[in-house]
Amino acid sequence: MKQLIAAFGLLLASSLAIAGEGPDELVKRTADDVLAVVKSDKDIQAGNQDKIFKLAEEKILPNFNFEKVSRLVLGKNWTKATPEQQAAFQNEFKTLLLRTYATALSKYKNQVIEYKPLRLPEGSTSATVKTSIVQQGGQPIAVDYALEKKADDWKVFDIVIEGVSLVTNYRSQFAQEIRQNGLDSLIKKLAEKNGTATAKAN
């Protein structure tokens, strides 16, 4: 379920932001657009991984700040890494997230997103959009989206599900592997996991 909820978080990113659009408006517009595709596409509903991955890739990449997420996830290990290691990690981590959420999208079953009023002081360059995922037969799940403004666009850099940060969760997992075996080992394991996922999808 957490993967599914996180998938809603990544729906925040769209290929083009509308000028003057607030972070909450971006969240709602894009989520509505993507979920409309999921609901109407029978191939996606049937679990077509290629179409699901393409949908996630097209809607996530343009406005999701993967570089910042990568820096936050690696913490001090990011500054210690070479440019080559940084690029390799960012690429594999991005692919891991895309495939995780593409899989979660295929499990969408008409959950409803409720949006909380946004508190955004004038001139702010960071914002938290608070929502609740309502599911039939279950308790609502609180989901907060952290965004920052770069130039005129808002970009997502963290998702907090029931108080648990996506960034913090991955940072804890990856830090242990880096301490034990080094950053190159982590990158290799991510690449192997991504390769296995690709082979299964095909």
Side-chain angles (χ1 to χ4, degrees):
M1 175 53 68
K2 284 189 176 181
Q3 288 183 353
L4 175 61
I5 302 306
F8 282 108
L10 292 184
L11 299 180
L12 308 184
S14 64
S15 57
L16 290 173
I18 296 176
E21 186 176 40
D24 55 338
E25 296 168 326
L26 174 64
V27 171
K28 189 176 189 307
R29 175 179 61 81
T30 309
D32 287 348
D33 288 348
V34 176
L35 294 182
V37 174
V38 174
K39 290 178 181 178
S40 63
D41 193 308
K42 293 183 179 180
D43 291 335
I44 289 179
Q45 294 173 15
N48 184 308
Q49 290 298 305
D50 288 339
K51 294 191 73 171
I52 295 170
F53 185 82
K54 183 177 180 180
L55 175 63
E57 185 176 36
E58 289 177 349
K59 294 297 182 179
I60 292 168
L61 290 182
N63 285 338
F64 198 92
N65 193 338
F66 275 109
E67 181 178 353
K68 180 165 184 173
V69 175
S70 297
R71 286 191 283 108
L72 291 174
V73 166
L74 286 187
K76 63 182 181 181
N77 292 301
W78 176 265
T79 57
K80 295 179 180 178
T82 65
E84 292 76 17
Q85 287 176 318
Q86 291 175 350
F89 171 78
Q90 187 172 332
N91 181 63
E92 296 301 339
F93 183 48
K94 177 173 62 179
T95 302
L96 173 68
L97 288 180
L98 279 171
R99 294 204 173 279
T100 298
Y101 303 130
T103 299
L105 274 178
S106 67
K107 299 177 182 178
Y108 173 74
K109 299 297 181 184
N110 295 314
Q111 288 83 358
V112 177
I113 307 175
E114 294 183 348
Y115 302 88
K116 310 299 182 182
L118 176 67
R119 296 179 180 178
L120 186 66
E122 186 175 354
S124 294
T125 57
S126 62
T128 299
V129 176
K130 296 179 179 291
T131 73
S132 180
I133 307 300
V134 181
Q135 51 186 344
Q136 188 173 5
Q139 292 294 318
I141 301 175
V143 184
D144 297 345
Y145 306 126
L147 302 92
E148 69 171 356
K149 195 172 187 179
K150 294 179 69 79
D152 293 326
D153 298 333
W154 288 93
K155 294 183 181 291
V156 182
F157 66 88
D158 196 11
I159 306 166
V160 180
I161 306 168
E162 292 291 333
V164 179
S165 161
L166 175 77
V167 165
T168 302
N169 185 47
Y170 275 112
R171 183 163 57 208
S172 177
Q173 293 180 38
F174 293 166
Q176 182 176 355
E177 174 63 28
I178 294 173
R179 282 196 302 269
Q180 294 177 348
N181 302 304
L183 180 56
D184 286 336
S185 175
L186 171 62
I187 295 171
K188 181 179 179 181
K189 288 187 176 181
L190 290 178
E192 290 173 348
K193 187 171 185 177
N194 290 332
T196 299
T198 300
K200 288 182 178 180
N202 295 330

